[in-house]
Each structure stands twice: as structure tokens, then as C-alpha cells.
Amino acid sequence: MIKAVFFDFVGTLITKRGEEVTHQNIVREVLRKAGREDLDVVEVWKAYEDASSRAFKALAGKPFKPVRIIDTEAMGEVGKEYGFEVPADFWEIHLRMHALHGELVEGTKEVLKGLRERGIHVGLVTDSDNDYLKAHLEALGLLEYFDSITTSEEAGFYKPHPAVFQLALKKAGVEGDETIYVGDNPSKDCVGARSVDMSSVLYDPEGSKRELWNECEFIISDLREVLKIVEEL
């Protein structure tokens, strides 16, 4: 019997499209404050995404380093390349734009509400700074839907390190084999969940991660399929 369902955040409950819009607006505001509105926002955004992505990939499973530092360093790297200074309030810009432009995956609130109505513990387990996550959840109206929230900042490691998932289980008071973890990254979400005996569910709406499906026990294209999986297990 499933007693708890845990979710990843970015790419699982909020769309990658919304993240792209958010990050483009971060770049636009940074360039405005730096007096470099002559630069192409999309070009600078792509450079920023590349720098940030490289940094996060290198930290997978490693000890936690604040996201605010990672992203500030990534923007600083891009600033040197394009010739602008990163504003001192970069992280405040980051938080504000995430609060303004986040977009929920279709069915998110329906699924979270449906699980709670079934008496199932609903948790969030994500690679995030606490302040970023709280601001984003409040803006999206999601904070009230979770019984527990576990971040890599709290756990001291990034996924797929088992410590992140072990802390989530401890908070919920359940064993791994009584739970499901839903995420969009096979290497981090499925591998990490399985390391503590959670059943792993990959949310892959476009089937773009087919080559890594074997890392996960269930593959879904619609978040609402989680409710069916819970009923069957």
C-alpha cells in the first residue's frame, strides 16, 4: 500500500517552458540594470543556460552548494563574455521573476489534491535553495498542498545522493517501499529514488528521454496518471 508520493519540482510540477520565460526575463532585467540593452536577450539567455547547466551537472550527487551562488557565478561568467556587470541584487531579481512567471504542469493541483483526499502523504523533494522554493510555491498557490518539503539545502547534498531521499522519508515517517517518487530526470530522480527503495515514476510528456527509460519503473506522459498508479499498487 502506498502511503506517500513525493514529487520533483522543475520539469515535473512546473513547466520547462515557464522556466525558459522566467530566465529570459531575469536576463532582460539584468541587462537593463547593467545598461546593456543593446545585447540580444535570447543570445545572452542561451549562454547563461549553458553555464548554469554545466555547473549543475557537475554537482549531481555532490555536497550542496547554494543555487544562488551557482546561478550568480554562471551569470558572472556570461557577463565577462559579453561585457556587463551583474547587478548586486541579482538573486532578488531571480526570486521576483520566478514568482511572476512560473507555470504549472497541467493537472498539478488536481493530482496533489486527489492524493491528499486519498489520505496519502504528499511531499516535495527538489534540488533547491529554501528561499527560492518558498517564494515560488507561494506565488503558484502550491504551498498548502504539501505535507512535507525537502530541499537539497536541508539534506546537504544534490540528487541522486540517497541523503536527500532519506530525509524526505524520515519527515513523512514512511519506508521507501511504501512510497512513489515522481520526477523528470531519469539519472537523478529515478536512480536516487530507487536507491532508497522508492518506486520511481518518470514524467516524460514528449517521450524525449526514451534512451533512459530503463532507469525508471513507470513512465507517464500525463501527471494525472500518478493517481492510477497509486490505485494499482
Side-chain angles (χ1 to χ4, degrees):
M1 178 181 175
I2 298 301
K3 295 182 179 179
V5 177
F6 299 96
F7 293 88
D8 173 47
F9 189 47
V10 178
T12 303
L13 299 183
I14 61 172
T15 68
K16 290 290 182 65
R17 180 179 61 245
E19 281 293 279
E20 289 181 358
V21 171
T22 297
H23 289 186
Q24 287 175 20
N25 277 285
I26 290 171
V27 169
R28 184 174 287 107
E29 181 65 5
V30 165
L31 295 180
R32 184 189 71 79
K33 291 197 132 189
R36 292 303 313 272
E37 292 177 281
D38 57 302
L39 293 172
D40 182 85
V41 170
V42 174
E43 181 180 340
V44 176
W45 163 69
K46 287 181 178 178
Y48 169 58
E49 291 292 290
D50 286 344
S52 180
S53 179
R54 285 196 306 272
F56 275 108
K57 284 180 180 177
L59 284 168
K62 303 281 182 65
F64 176 77
K65 179 179 180 179
V67 176
R68 64 183 73 83
I69 293 177
I70 298 169
D71 278 348
T72 300
E73 289 176 347
M75 187 61 79
E77 180 182 324
V78 174
K80 288 180 181 179
E81 180 182 351
Y82 285 88
F84 64 85
E85 291 291 327
V86 179
D89 63 344
F90 170 73
W91 188 244
E92 285 69 29
I93 293 171
H94 192 281
L95 293 179
R96 187 167 70 253
M97 293 304 167
H98 272 91
L100 287 172
H101 299 289
E103 178 186 65
L104 291 176
V105 165
E106 186 176 352
T108 291
K109 289 187 177 180
E110 177 186 340
V111 171
L112 301 181
K113 183 179 179 182
L115 290 171
R116 296 192 75 185
E117 287 174 346
R118 289 165 170 79
I120 293 172
H121 180 104
V122 178
L124 189 63
V125 183
T126 180
D127 284 337
S128 177
D129 288 10
N130 295 334
D131 57 350
Y132 153 78
L133 187 62
K134 185 173 185 293
H136 210 163
L137 290 174
E138 287 178 340
L140 292 166
L142 283 184
L143 198 57
E144 66 185 88
Y145 287 88
F146 295 103
D147 298 301
S148 68
I149 295 173
T150 303
T151 65
S152 51
E153 181 172 1
E154 287 181 283
F157 289 91
Y158 281 105
K159 295 182 295 185
H161 197 286
V164 188
F165 299 92
Q166 288 166 346
L167 179 57
L169 291 173
K170 183 179 180 180
K171 285 186 176 184
V174 294
E175 300 296 326
D177 60 6
E178 299 173 321
T179 69
I180 288 173
Y181 185 77
V182 186
D184 72 310
N185 187 315
S187 300
K188 295 177 72 175
D189 296 325
C190 295
V191 170
R194 285 171 37 233
S195 73
V196 296
D197 296 326
M198 290 179 173
S199 294
S200 58
V201 178
L202 178 68
Y203 174 62
D204 187 14
E206 298 176 359
S208 60
K209 298 161 187 175
R210 189 177 296 272
E211 70 279 3
L212 293 173
W213 278 8
N214 64 324
E215 297 288 358
C216 312
E217 293 162 278
F218 298 91
I219 315 296
I220 61 173
S221 58
D222 187 314
L223 203 61
R224 286 164 289 211
E225 293 177 68
V226 171
L227 296 175
K228 296 179 182 178
I229 292 172
V230 167
E231 290 172 358
E232 292 172 358
L233 291 180

